[in-house]
Amino acid sequence: MINIVDISKRFGHIAALNKLNLQIPAGSIYGLIGPNGAGKSTLLRLLVGLVAQDAGSIDISCLIPDEIGYLPERPRFPTRFTISEYLRLLGTVSGISDIDLGRQVRESLDMTGLASIAHRRMQGGSKGMLQRLALAQAIMDRPELLILDEPFAGLDPGAQAAMRDVLLQLNRNGSTILLSTHRLADVTQVCTHLAILSRGHIIRKGLMEEVIPGSTRVILTLDNLATDVQDQISAIPGDIRFDGNSIDLPDGDLTLKNAVIQVLISAGIDVTRLERKRVSLEETYIAAISGGLVEEEE
Ligand code: ATP
């Protein structure tokens, strides 16, 4: 659906994006994570046309501009309106017909949990209220693509859960969602795809299960592990890691597990403990940004 090819963007001497490539399939919830300054907001701002790239291309020709909804990192609102007045004003300005306006405002308020406080003025509104209003504003036109810059920022745990539910519902209703966040727990709960950015380019990207590879591992703890046995096991092709008297293997690879166990049986080595360990997104993320993972070919 969206094809981002070799995008670069500099701000003076800072290379915010550096030959970045990303394809966002229709119907996905695509998460962007990465350290502060990695270039996430710049990429999102490029997609909505708030900044222009220095090089590269973005193909969103399948969409007309009205079909993109955007929640900025730091939403700002005029304070003198009530929530519903503001959404009605926004709808009018963006060309929603009088016939549809009332219904679309109501639906946006219902979806974002703002209906009961729609009469409230925005002045002095809590961070959570304003963040939900920013989402209500982004979804007013029922966009085909939603671009959300840190939608969970500043929300309490209940509001975060509500935000996750809204995003899943919007996605079920047909919206493709691209979101940046620092909240890894939310990523694992809502995203179908994930890209890890660092210093303006992508280190990992793809389906969630591809980005968090071998997500379950098996740890075999042995009574001892002689060097010659370790050498035999090392010779077996596969992702085998050693830590003292422990061997760490991907759980899903039955052939590999059987081959390792066969060597242990032949050598008469006792397995004193067997445990399963789930590799978290946090571990993958830390390994990726600290250079522990090989960068993807772009
Ligand atoms: P964060 O997680 O902190 O929001 P980010 O990944 O969204 O960071 P960006 O905001 O895209 O990162 O910034 C990428 C780099 O570009 C940073 O070094 C930032 O200081 C710089 N930058 C972004 N916008 C501008 C601008 N308008 N003028 C100058 N430098 C900018």
Side-chain angles (χ1 to χ4, degrees), residues 1 19-20 37 55 62 76-77 91 133-134 137 145 205 227 253:
M1 179 194 209
K19 292 195 165 181
L20 181 143
C62 51
R76 297 266 184 277
F77 301 101
L133 178 57
Q137 166 183 307
L145 173 66
K205 67 181 171 191
T227 315
D253 192 339

Side-chain angles (χ1 to χ4, degrees), residues 11-12 14-17 34-43 45 51 73-74 149-150 180 182 197:
F11 294 103
I14 297 168
L17 298 174
N36 293 124
K40 303 177 296 293
S41 295
T42 303
L43 177 61
R45 298 178 78 228
V51 290
E73 187 177 9
R74 292 181 201 88
D149 201 347
E150 301 198 24
S180 85
H182 288 292
L197 266 77

Side-chain angles (χ1 to χ4, degrees), residues 82-92 96-115 118 133 136-137 139-142:
T82 66
I83 290 173
S84 62
E85 280 169 355
Y86 173 68
L87 289 179
R88 288 187 74 85
L89 181 69
L90 199 80
T92 307
I96 298 176
S97 71
D98 286 350
I99 303 166
D100 295 329
L101 186 60
R103 180 179 47 80
Q104 288 194 212
V105 167
R106 224 173 18 256
E107 284 176 8
S108 297
L109 290 169
D110 284 342
M111 268 198 127
T112 51
L114 288 170
L133 178 57
Q137 166 183 307
I139 64 177
M140 271 277 286
D141 273 352
R142 305 290 166 268

Side-chain angles (χ1 to χ4, degrees), residues 80 82 89 104 120 142 144 160 165 215 260:
R80 63 199 170 98
T82 66
L89 181 69
Q104 288 194 212
R120 243 194 236 169
R142 305 290 166 268
E144 203 176 314
Q160 283 160 17
D165 288 345
S215 49
V260 171

Side-chain angles (χ1 to χ4, degrees), residues 3 73 78 106 115 136 161 171 177 206 214 217 228 238 241 251 267 298:
N3 196 15
E73 187 177 9
R106 224 173 18 256
N171 181 248
I177 300 175
R217 300 193 59 94
D228 61 324
R241 303 169 199 171
D251 192 23
E298 293 249 69

